[in-house]
Amino acid sequence: MAIFPLSSNFEGDFVIQLVVVDDAATMDEVASACAVHSVNRRVAPRPGKVMRVRRHSTGEVFPRDLQVKSAGLMPTETIDVIFSDI
């Protein structure tokens, strides 16, 4: 396990946050770590929605159980955290 910095562009937020996660974290865990800095601060919660992580540069939505170390992300790369129905 190793720390891995990502730039979080959270849907509805105007601030991009640098968030440090574990490289063994799943995308669901990454979304939760990013939400700490945005939801209930500058972004309203969205009950009934699922937070999903996607690659900012391509729009590729990552599987929820994919680990950071297997996603091919670069340190400090920007990810989008979006609200989804699935």
Side-chain angles (χ1 to χ4, degrees):
M1 292 194 208
I3 60 170
F4 198 90
L6 292 167
S7 297
S8 168
N9 181 29
F10 204 97
E11 181 180 359
D13 202 345
F14 63 91
V15 177
I16 293 181
Q17 298 281 333
L18 183 63
V19 178
V20 178
V21 297
D22 192 286
D23 70 346
T26 65
M27 292 299 149
D28 274 356
E29 293 168 327
V30 170
S32 292
C34 294
V36 167
H37 301 284
S38 296
V39 175
N40 287 319
R41 293 180 184 223
R42 292 172 301 277
V43 176
R46 305 256 320 257
K49 298 288 185 178
V50 177
M51 291 181 295
R52 299 292 304 270
V53 177
R54 70 179 177 201
R55 188 183 303 267
H56 181 73
S57 60
T58 65
E60 169 194 6
V61 179
F62 294 113
R64 295 175 60 193
D65 61 348
L66 180 68
Q67 291 183 315
V68 171
K69 62 185 168 189
S70 301
L73 293 165
M74 300 297 294
T76 71
E77 185 171 347
T78 301
I79 57 165
D80 299 325
V81 181
I82 60 170
F83 292 105
S84 176
D85 291 325
I86 57 169

